[in-house]
Amino acid sequence: MSDKIHIKMTVNGKPEEFLAEPRELLIYTLRERLNITGPHIGCETSHCGACTVTIGGKSVKACTMFVAQADGADITTIEGIGGPDDLHPLQTAFKEHHGLQCGYCTPGMITRAAALLEENPNPTEEEIRFGMAGNLCRCTGYQNIVKSILAAAAEINASKEAAQ
Amino acid sequence: MIPAAFDYHRPTDMAGVIALLQEHGDDARVMAGGHSLIPMMKLRMADVPHLIDLQSVSGLGGISIGSENIRIGAMVTQTDIIADDALAKGAPILREAALQIADPQVRNMGTVGGNVANGDPGNDMPGLMQCLDATFSLIGPDGVRDVPARDFYEAAYMTARTDEEVLTAVTIPLPAGGYAYEKQKRKIGDYATAAAAVQIVRDGNICTAASIAMTNLSDTPIYSEAAGAALVGTSVDDAALAAAADAMQGDIDPSEDNRGPVAFKKHVAGVIVRRAITRAWSRA
């Protein structure tokens, strides 16, 4: 058993500080230590993307990062993207366009899609499919997920234009 | 999945890394993005009592393009490779290959240095670097040395790098002519069933130089000198394609796994190498 180390991180804007074994996987830190249960454990082998979070603006699979690596990191999960009272346009679009069925992959899907729209605010359908390739959905066949992201992009761009 | 316990180190300079490697010998491993090593640790196929995270070590990033060479720091990610427009102009095969590696999240973490140093026959960058005749820079207690990519790989996960050395950069001579990275895989994120990297130089209708390397068809990447030689002096017609594919078959040694039996892999290798040569020739 190795010694616990002192970890500091920011999760959804909130500073967190704790002792942890370095081998703890970030997804367990979030879910079991910090009770942030939006990011899900699907495959736990970096294939399915249900555990996707954003670290320093980049999408990362939290099942394939040790908590020690994330010491000092600024992390955003689905909880930091939007909640019941202030849905993100992606969340609204997934609801309106049936971008989910069982919902298990959805937090990872929306977290990844939010980063994708930061990288590319006007993606084509093909760019969405390529940019979402690290997230698996076993229900929808992806069609409505792509539709939802296209709709959210249009909504975000329209409100940006209106604000100018 | 819970990996075995380890001590975590995050040195800020290379002297600190080397000191840790000397202190702990083969009980220590360096980690770049971790997307090869962490899965192995989770499966307990890799036992790493001392994990040395390179994320805070300065001097391991950056892509620089000179008049003759391209230098890529070991910590450059696949996402960095894809995003660099100057690199895509200087050596477009790198972006073409990186786009076929894993998925966006994994490419955000996975590095060039980790991909080439790990020695996994399934990784795409080793074969690509052999095609491009790249050189790997290694630093250790006795200083720096350069090893050609074509001499680096000894067996699966066995390379010319010693336990006390760290791969710091890849240097590539600016490639000439047409290029193609062609990969057959079962799904996004999978390793290749077969992949081919091809650079080809054309003078009029005659091929004057060709470099071909294959991925995941042996326990090391395969630079097939004979396949390239079979194209030189030809107009890359059907007969030349067949000769190159035959020569390539003589160099690979695939084994059966869940991607298929040996005969299937040889078949796919032949299809892939023909596609890659044809596409590279059309761009030359």
Side-chain angles (χ1 to χ4, degrees), chain A residues 38-52:
Chain A
H40 288 168
I41 298 171
C43 69
E44 223 185 330
T45 55
S46 63
H47 287 98
C48 80
C51 64
T52 299

Side-chain angles (χ1 to χ4, degrees), chain B residues 114-128:
Chain B
N115 198 293
V116 299
N118 189 38
D120 185 331
N123 285 150
D124 290 279
M125 290 277 161
L128 177 60

Side-chain angles (χ1 to χ4, degrees), chain B residues 115-131 136 148-159 181 195-197 212-225 251-253:
Chain B
N115 198 293
V116 299
N118 189 38
D120 185 331
N123 285 150
D124 290 279
M125 290 277 161
L128 177 60
M129 294 305 167
Q130 291 194 338
C131 167
F136 300 155
R150 291 175 188 172
D151 297 336
F152 187 72
Y153 298 95
E154 294 166 354
Y157 305 103
M158 301 285 286
T159 68
Y181 193 79
I212 298 174
M214 308 298 294
T215 289
N216 217 12
L217 293 160
S218 286
D219 66 351
T220 63
I222 294 295
Y223 169 63
S224 180
E225 196 173 356
D251 287 337
I252 63 171
D253 183 21

Side-chain angles (χ1 to χ4, degrees), chain A residues 2 21-23 25 28 44 47 52 58-61 63-66 68-69 71 112 130-131 133-135, chain B residues 1-8 10 31 35 38 42 51 53 55 99 103-105 107-109 187-188:
Chain A
S2 68
E21 274 193 77
R23 65 172 164 172
L25 294 167
Y28 288 101
E44 223 185 330
H47 287 98
T52 299
K58 293 200 162 164
S59 302
V60 169
K61 293 179 175 175
C63 75
T64 309
M65 179 176 274
F66 294 124
Q69 288 173 278
D71 184 21
R112 170 59 198 144
F130 191 75
N135 293 75
Chain B
M1 299 168 92
I2 303 171
F6 56 84
D7 284 333
Y8 176 79
R10 199 195 285 188
M31 179 177 73
H35 274 50
I38 295 173
K42 285 160 73 175
L51 185 67
D53 186 345
Q55 68 169 287
L99 283 166
D103 61 51
Q105 288 96 315
R107 289 193 293 266
N108 280 340
M109 292 301 293
K187 59 176 271 294
I188 288 276

Side-chain angles (χ1 to χ4, degrees), chain B residues 61-87:
Chain B
I63 298 169
S64 54
I65 302 174
S67 55
E68 289 176 2
N69 292 314
I70 297 169
R71 184 189 178 281
I72 302 173
M75 291 294 279
V76 166
T77 65
Q78 307 296 347
T79 298
D80 296 334
I81 293 281
I82 293 165
D84 194 308
D85 289 333
L87 181 66

